[in-house]
Amino acid sequence: MNGDHTPNPISDDPKTPLLPVNNPIQRSPSSHSFTTSLLTPNNFYILLGPLSCTLICVLVKLDAPVTSVYMLAILAWMFSWWFTEAVPMPVTSMAPLFLFPLFGIASADSVARSFMDDVIALVLGSFILALAVEHYNIHRRLALNITMLFCGDPLNPPLLLLGICATTAFVSMWMHNVAAAVIMMPVATGILHRLPMGPTQPVVVGKFCRAVVLGVIYSAAIGGMSTLTGTGVNLILVGMWKSYFPEANPISFNTWFFFGFPLALVIFFALWAILCLLYCSKGSGQVLSTYLDKAHLKSELEMLGPMAFAEKMVLAVFGTLIVLWMTRSITDDIPGWGALFNGLAGDGTVSVMMATLLFIIPNKKQRGEKLMDWNKCKKLPWNIVLLLGAGFAIADGVKSSGLAEVLSKALDFLEEVPYLAIAPLVCLISATITEFTSNNSTTTLVVPLLIQIAKTMHVHPLLLMIPGAIGAQFSFLLPTGTPSNIVGFTTGHIEIKDMIKIGVPLKIVGIAALSLLMPTLGAYVFGTGGEV
């Protein structure tokens, strides 16, 4: 009998096929599965990018250079991939490196320069310092000290909540808000683990747990608004301002801080008040004090031991960097240390310089070992760096291709609209879009459009750019709005209804505060009364 046409006998060998390998019936499922693997939503989304690009190139005609049509087509391609996440976001962010030269928008060299400038250097240096803080557990020591300070004796839940939220906001000021949420959530949940869980959990305890988790994720977002290093959105805005208006005064670290910090402070205290009102009922202190007191926190702090030399040096480097950021350019009368270098040094200069010190200063733990080595830097968020570069490249492309002029003409009807009507609307639109896509993508999409609207309305561009960019950070309603929200949602303490209950009033407060502060404090800080 020919073995090629005889079914294999049942064998104990798991590698023995149950059917003949050359049986045509076996190839049918394989071809069916191949077809099925092609007809997936993800593959459709991948095709959507080049397809939308092709359709715009063929069908859209503008009274402008043909490069403006090509730029519009490239934007459709990139934003369709960003919104659908057909390919990883960092990969989409690199698309200008090949699309711009191929479509004649810009040379390969000029596009590549967008992916490494002073703003990118600022990001890289600050992230390396943030990794050092995380590596030496400095954030945990800081959190426990501040929480002990705010705990109260007897326990005061609103005060303890304020301490946890304030710590998170402070940490988020100096590192990316997502990193701050990731770092602070274990600290917060470590405090909550002392409380009873499950069906026997008292209602008061459950509410306090929700308040703490919501406080951490929203405080991380709010703290990030106050400094340039707190979130990629602020850096995208600063980069686009420098790209569109190279002759204007750049937005320095301390300039942004003088506006961003008061705004963040208003929104932060609104968050705390809303959380206390909805989740910290009267008498909750008596119930919670059974499980939480200063002794518990003190024991955890003692377990960390005294501060080592390495921790002190990282804090010293970080503190020095903050001072250098704040004093590079102070006022017109007091120029700051940047004047010593004829304005050639930027915030990125000192950021990378101080980060370099971490690879030089010994940690005094092992002979020859430094505070940081490159292996510890493998967690650097290159996805954010590439996304920032893409945003800067798009800003340059919109301007150089002629698309900016097309947008400006299309928005002539807004010339008579009063600023006080358009600013809250701009903020609301950004705050709505950001619930369904990333904060950075929303900013990259909205800010170039707002620049043209500002030109049409004959108002200073920053009066619209800043509300649009900060509004993109008001992703308070859905877990998918930002990775920080997902960090809180995965703890199991909160549900979507909790986020909506806090997020809606917080979003309203944020839009109102921004709409009031921008034409008042913002006009003074950014000098929006003059011409660009």
Side-chain angles (χ1 to χ4, degrees):
M1 188 178 290
N2 191 334
D4 290 342
H5 300 282
T6 307
N8 290 331
I10 296 174
S11 169
D12 292 333
D13 186 356
K15 296 182 180 180
T16 305
L18 297 177
L19 295 173
V21 292
N22 62 343
N23 193 325
I25 297 174
Q26 191 164 356
R27 289 197 300 268
S28 176
S30 149
S31 100
H32 173 70
S33 64
F34 176 72
T35 307
T36 306
S37 68
L38 286 178
L39 301 175
T40 62
N42 187 66
N43 285 337
F44 170 75
Y45 295 145
I46 291 173
L47 289 174
L48 185 62
L51 183 62
S52 58
C53 177
T54 305
L55 288 174
I56 290 174
C57 288
V58 172
L59 300 177
V60 175
K61 305 296 179 188
L62 298 175
D63 185 19
V66 68
T67 50
S68 62
V69 178
Y70 294 158
M71 187 65 215
L72 187 64
I74 291 171
L75 287 177
W77 183 333
M78 291 185 65
F79 285 119
S80 67
W81 274 8
W82 266 335
F83 290 156
T84 61
E85 296 188 11
V87 297
M89 188 173 286
V91 177
T92 305
S93 300
M94 291 190 290
L97 291 169
F98 66 88
L99 288 177
F100 281 23
L102 294 179
F103 280 85
I105 304 296
S107 68
D109 283 340
S110 65
V111 179
R113 277 194 288 270
S114 299
F115 285 80
M116 181 51 73
D117 67 358
D118 186 61
V119 176
I120 303 290
L122 171 67
V123 174
L124 287 174
S126 60
F127 271 131
I128 290 172
L129 279 156
L131 287 174
V133 168
E134 182 182 354
H135 176 72
Y136 289 104
N137 235 3
I138 296 171
H139 62 287
R140 182 168 177 78
R141 186 184 297 276
L142 174 70
L144 287 170
N145 274 298
I146 293 182
T147 305
M148 276 186 63
L149 180 67
F150 283 90
C151 188
D153 193 12
L155 180 69
N156 186 331
L159 200 59
L160 176 58
L161 181 62
L162 177 63
I164 294 170
C165 293
T167 307
T168 306
F170 179 77
V171 170
S172 182
M173 288 168 62
W174 313 111
M175 61 177 66
H176 194 272
N177 52 13
V178 177
V182 170
I183 284 173
M184 287 301 300
M185 193 57 73
V187 177
T189 52
I191 296 171
L192 298 182
H193 282 162
R194 305 183 185 284
L195 303 175
M197 299 293 169
T200 59
Q201 184 186 64
V203 175
V204 169
V205 173
K207 283 187 172 183
F208 184 73
C209 290
R210 290 197 287 275
V212 168
V213 173
L214 289 167
V216 168
I217 60 176
Y218 292 149
S219 296
I222 294 167
M225 296 174 196
S226 57
T227 63
L228 288 185
T229 53
T231 172
V233 169
N234 297 346
L235 294 165
I236 291 173
L237 172 70
V238 170
M240 287 190 173
W241 171 252
K242 186 171 73 171
S243 175
Y244 272 93
F245 307 101
E247 301 302 320
N249 290 329
I251 301 174
S252 65
F253 185 93
N254 63 338
T255 302
W256 181 270
F257 183 80
F258 289 143
F259 173 76
F261 183 70
L263 173 67
L265 211 58
V266 171
I267 302 174
F268 174 80
F269 279 112
L271 167 67
W272 179 58
I274 294 167
L275 288 173
C276 290
L277 187 65
L278 297 178
Y279 292 113
C280 292
S281 56
K282 287 184 178 180
S284 57
Q286 292 181 345
V287 178
L288 293 170
S289 60
T290 310
Y291 313 100
L292 287 176
D293 58 29
K294 280 191 174 181
H296 293 141
L297 298 171
K298 192 174 180 180
S299 64
E300 281 200 25
L301 191 59
E302 288 173 350
M303 286 173 63
L304 292 176
M307 284 189 73
F309 172 81
E311 292 177 67
K312 292 176 182 177
M313 290 310 301
V314 170
L315 274 178
V317 170
F318 205 86
T320 305
L321 176 60
I322 293 171
V323 171
L324 290 173
W325 275 339
M326 299 296 292
T327 57
R328 181 175 68 86
S329 174
I330 303 172
T331 65
D332 292 335
D333 298 325
I334 308 172
W337 63 262
L340 299 175
F341 302 94
N342 300 317
L344 296 177
D347 289 328
T349 308
V350 290
S351 183
V352 173
M353 181 180 74
M354 300 309 290
T356 304
L357 289 178
L358 298 177
F359 298 87
I360 297 172
I361 300 171
N363 65 8
K364 289 196 174 180
K365 286 187 176 181
Q366 292 185 9
R367 186 179 179 84
E369 194 173 282
K370 311 301 181 186
L371 291 174
M372 287 288 281
D373 59 58
W374 192 247
N375 284 330
K376 297 186 182 81
C377 294
K378 288 180 179 177
K379 294 197 296 181
L380 277 172
W382 294 107
N383 56 331
I384 293 173
V385 172
L386 291 172
L387 187 59
L388 288 171
F392 302 158
I394 286 172
D396 288 337
V398 167
K399 185 172 62 172
S400 63
S401 67
L403 183 59
E405 294 302 319
V406 174
L407 293 173
S408 182
K409 291 175 183 176
L411 297 168
D412 282 343
F413 68 94
L414 292 170
E415 188 171 357
E416 302 301 324
V417 178
Y419 171 76
L420 290 177
I422 199 81
L425 182 62
V426 162
C427 192
L428 178 62
I429 291 171
S430 286
T432 303
I433 295 173
T434 194
E435 296 293 351
F436 305 100
T437 184
S438 77
N439 303 354
N440 295 337
S441 298
T442 302
T443 308
T444 307
L445 169 67
V446 168
V447 168
L449 189 61
L450 294 177
I451 292 172
Q452 304 311 316
I453 293 175
K455 287 180 179 179
T456 302
M457 296 176 63
H458 305 294
V459 299
H460 196 285
L462 286 177
L463 288 172
L464 293 185
M465 291 170 68
I466 290 174
I470 294 182
Q473 300 174 57
F474 293 162
S475 48
F476 299 143
L477 300 182
L478 299 174
T480 53
T482 173
S484 303
N485 293 358
I486 296 174
V487 169
F489 202 74
T490 53
T491 62
H493 288 293
I494 60 173
E495 300 175 1
I496 292 179
K497 64 180 181 182
D498 296 308
M499 297 188 69
I500 293 173
K501 187 189 296 185
I502 302 297
V504 168
L506 191 60
K507 195 177 284 250
I508 292 170
V509 169
I511 292 172
L514 187 55
S515 300
L516 290 173
L517 286 177
M518 190 59 224
T520 52
L521 178 64
Y524 173 74
V525 171
F526 298 110
T528 56
E531 293 185 1
V532 181

